[in-house]
Amino acid sequence: MTGLSVASVHVYPVKGLRGLSPAQARLWPWGLEADRRWMITDPQGRFITQRTCRDMALINAVPTQEGLELGKANMPPCSVRFPDTNAPVRSVTVWKDTVQARDAGEDAANWLTEVLAQPCRLVWMDTPQHARLRHLDQADVPVSFADGYPLLVATTASLADLNARLPVGQAVPMARFRPNIVVQGATPWAEDSWLRIRVGAAILRILAPCSRCVVTTIDQTTAEIPNPKEPLATLAAFHRTPKGVMFAQNARVEQPGTIEVGAPVTVLDCGPSNLQAEA
């Protein structure tokens, strides 16, 4: 397959908050630089996302040399410093995983508690290479605070095909699916058969389709839900398995490198659709 390239790159500095679209980003074994190294939890350490708090979509999170800048319209910003080695270490949960992370302090917690109208803490994963190892593809793979895999890969062609099937006037942008790397030039759903791809100098191994949830119904610019059924209902009609409604592919990093917009993408190995393996 030829003519493939990177259409966009996306990082989400704080899990569940607005993402950024840099022209390039360094790719590490645990994912893109600055991607989901911070996470919001409740006081018991359970992770909070847009699944239960869709106003998270309204908060900007921008990495700085000192840490992070949080912002929301009509609110004073909150500057957060990287927690130092004296900061409390907390046990936090991401689905079934328990992770050790450093607490980011009272100012960040109070700011988020006010903005989201529920008790919140902010934590930082200072050692992603050790903090969370998941057994993926017969190996222990470091993962950030992402749901389960280091990376999510989507294609513009599959989104275009989905949008062509949606009711008139209800097309959705790629932001609804919160991918890390978006590839252009493929045929619709070609990514379901990819096994290994080269992206610039990096090599990724595709592991499993991504099961989608209610976050795909949330407008990422307003936090509103225009249609609580879409795009999930349409996607379920033709692209699902017993494990869920699928869009985009989870991946791990086989060879780190720098990912940049416009970089060539080469399919190194492919096979049958992995949706069949999920059936």
Side-chain angles (χ1 to χ4, degrees), residues 259-277:
I259 302 294
E260 60 183 6
V261 174
V265 175
T266 304
V267 178
L268 301 176
D269 297 298
C270 60
S273 168
N274 61 11
L275 264 69
Q276 299 172 11

Side-chain angles (χ1 to χ4, degrees), residues 159-213:
L159 179 65
D161 183 70
L162 171 60
N163 280 333
R165 299 168 187 257
L166 286 169
V168 174
Q170 296 192 31
V172 297
M174 187 64 83
R176 295 278 190 98
F177 297 97
R178 298 174 69 83
N180 292 118
I181 299 170
V182 180
V183 177
Q184 60 190 357
T187 56
W189 315 110
E191 65 273 21
D192 297 346
S193 65
W194 295 347
L195 298 176
R196 294 170 69 246
I197 60 174
R198 183 187 299 276
V199 184
I203 296 177
L204 311 181
R205 183 172 291 275
I206 305 298
L207 298 182
C210 183
S211 176
R212 310 315 309 215
C213 69

Side-chain angles (χ1 to χ4, degrees), residues 33-212:
E33 183 77 38
D35 187 58
R36 298 178 176 95
R37 294 282 297 280
W38 303 82
M39 184 172 72
I40 300 169
T41 76
D42 67 14
Q44 289 72 46
R46 293 184 292 259
F47 75 119
I48 301 172
T49 71
Q50 290 183 37
R51 294 174 182 85
T52 58
C53 184
R54 66 176 189 263
D55 279 355
M56 293 174 73
L58 303 177
I59 302 177
N60 297 306
V62 180
T64 66
Q65 287 188 338
E66 294 77 28
L68 189 71
E69 182 90 359
L70 298 173
K72 181 181 181 292
N74 303 317
M75 282 286 294
C78 178
S79 296
V80 185
R81 298 184 68 88
F82 291 118
D84 61 27
T85 54
N86 294 319
V89 175
R90 300 189 184 279
S91 292
V92 297
T93 57
V94 184
W95 297 112
K96 295 181 180 179
D97 295 341
T98 298
V99 183
Q100 300 302 303
R102 294 197 179 274
D103 190 273
E106 298 305 319
D107 288 348
N110 292 337
W111 191 90
L112 288 165
T113 295
E114 180 178 357
V115 170
L116 297 176
Q118 62 178 294
C120 295
R121 304 299 304 182
L122 181 67
V123 297
W124 158 251
M125 181 184 286
D126 57 342
T127 57
Q129 65 271 37
H130 304 303
R132 186 185 182 203
L133 297 176
R134 305 198 73 243
H135 195 68
L136 305 172
D137 192 33
Q138 300 180 334
D140 287 331
V141 176
V143 182
S144 67
F145 285 129
D147 276 352
Y149 296 83
L151 285 169
L152 184 64
V153 179
T155 69
T156 57
S158 295
L159 179 65
D161 183 70
L162 171 60
N163 280 333
R165 299 168 187 257
L166 286 169
V168 174
Q170 296 192 31
V172 297
M174 187 64 83
R176 295 278 190 98
F177 297 97
R178 298 174 69 83
N180 292 118
I181 299 170
V182 180
V183 177
Q184 60 190 357
T187 56
W189 315 110
E191 65 273 21
D192 297 346
S193 65
W194 295 347
L195 298 176
R196 294 170 69 246
I197 60 174
R198 183 187 299 276
V199 184
I203 296 177
L204 311 181
R205 183 172 291 275
I206 305 298
L207 298 182
C210 183
S211 176
R212 310 315 309 215

